[in-house]
Amino acid sequence: MTSPIIIDGKEASARLKDGIAKAVADLKKRHGITPGLATVLVGDDPASHVYVASKQKTAVELGMASFQHDLKAETTQDELLALIEKLNADPSVNGILVQMPLPKHLDQVRVITAIDPAKDVDGLHPESVGRLVAGADTLASCTPLGCIMLLKDVLGDLAGKNAVVIGRSILVGKPVALLLLNENCTVTVAHSRTKDLAAVCRTADIIVAAVGKLEMVRGDWIKPGATVIDVGINPIPSPDGKRRLRGDVNFAEASAVAGAITPVPGGVGPMTIACLMVNTLKAACNQRGISDVAIPLSLPKKA
Ligand code: NDP
């Protein structure tokens, strides 16, 4: 068996960000528009602060405007909804991202639904999800979009491939399955009640694992030559106390069988923020009816 292709998410996201930066510069030059991303963070969760800071930093690096709204943990539902209404009405804000999870006293669904779907760069608004179900153009959620870009980069056309998605969350599993269906794959969605998951996985040309269970997918679940996308993020204990991560797939076993595989870390993760930037650029162009800027909707070819 030859060694698998290790899908390098860092390299892929750098390529994507390069394409976005060029398109942002082009948008400014042709139309004098700078895409703007507003992030809303409620509370003091340290991990959320790191994620939001990284989103803001990337937006600025790519030439976008970034507007940060850090709200105290006691913010009321009405205060948060009032801010979203203000951002919906602000023409310099093209994308709105409310960092999840929200403190428990806030209604996540109501907050997501309050965002103007045209600015829903996280792709979680029911209208965005509905458009995905209908196979219409939409702002798709970022991690699923990143998975599809990686798959198309390594496999080209996905039509006719058997894809098994493990996990059916609204955040990852379901949108990945819908995006694969829109790419004309034959899709099976597995979950905690699926019988003989190993046998189901062995039918797959493509496996997308989005479960959150450390190294659940074993080498003998994988058809030789299949492509494996590991979305899982599972912290593992380490003797030096540093935070280390592993995926939902047993990488050592799987890479002896797979044709291509994403590592954790360094696979899907880096694509998520880059896809948020694609969505912000796309939202900015859509809101102004601009069609003469080349938005990178798939990964630019390697130089
Ligand atoms: P959820 O917990 O919302 O969903 C997990 C899914 O896995 C559920 O559908 C559940 O099934 C299914 N599942 C649980 N146990 C099993 C099992 N034994 N066999 C088969 N299916 C099972 O998680 P998310 O979708 O939000 O995230 C999944 C993983 O992806 C997590 O590790 C998360 O940290 C990671 N993640 C990574 C991102 C990135 O940027 N790389 C972004 C977002 C998430 P059921 O519905 O029946 O309960």
Side-chain angles (χ1 to χ4, degrees), residues 80-277:
L80 181 54
L81 292 176
L83 173 61
I84 290 173
E85 210 173 299
K86 207 172 113 204
L87 297 175
N88 282 343
D90 183 344
S92 62
V93 172
N94 303 109
I96 302 170
L97 178 129
V98 180
Q99 185 65 37
M100 302 294 166
L102 290 170
K104 288 202 168 35
H105 67 282
L106 297 170
D107 179 344
Q108 195 160 302
V109 174
R110 255 189 89 194
V111 171
I112 291 170
T113 312
I115 296 171
D116 178 350
K119 299 189 177 185
D120 174 37
V121 285
D122 228 3
L124 296 175
H125 190 285
E127 186 173 318
S128 310
V129 177
R131 292 180 67 82
L132 194 60
V133 172
D137 187 38
T138 189
L139 296 167
S141 72
C142 303
T143 300
L145 193 57
C147 294
I148 301 299
M149 285 197 192
L150 291 176
L151 280 168
K152 287 171 79 172
D153 193 50
V154 72
L155 293 173
D157 187 8
L158 306 183
K161 306 257 183 230
N162 287 336
V164 171
V165 179
I166 319 174
R168 56 175 165 180
S169 74
I170 193 75
L171 188 64
V172 190
K174 279 180 186 153
V176 166
L178 289 163
L179 285 167
L180 287 165
L181 197 55
N182 291 346
E183 293 294 334
N184 298 311
C185 291
T186 305
V187 184
T188 304
V189 183
H191 45 78
S192 65
R193 308 288 181 89
T194 298
K195 294 210 172 89
D196 201 351
L197 182 56
V200 172
C201 288
R202 278 193 285 269
T203 65
D205 304 311
I206 294 168
I207 294 177
V208 180
V211 187
K213 294 245 184 294
L214 178 67
E215 299 181 335
M216 188 186 84
V217 178
R218 309 302 302 256
D220 63 358
W221 295 23
I222 295 165
K223 182 162 91 173
T227 302
V228 179
I229 303 289
D230 189 351
V231 184
I233 301 178
N234 305 291
I236 53 160
S238 67
D240 58 9
K242 282 197 185 142
R243 191 166 180 257
R244 290 210 160 71
L245 302 174
R246 290 269 199 287
D248 289 342
V249 178
N250 184 313
F251 185 82
E253 290 180 9
S255 52
V257 192
I261 183 165
T262 56
V264 176
V268 174
M271 289 297 289
T272 298
I273 292 186
C275 287
L276 175 68
M277 302 304 143

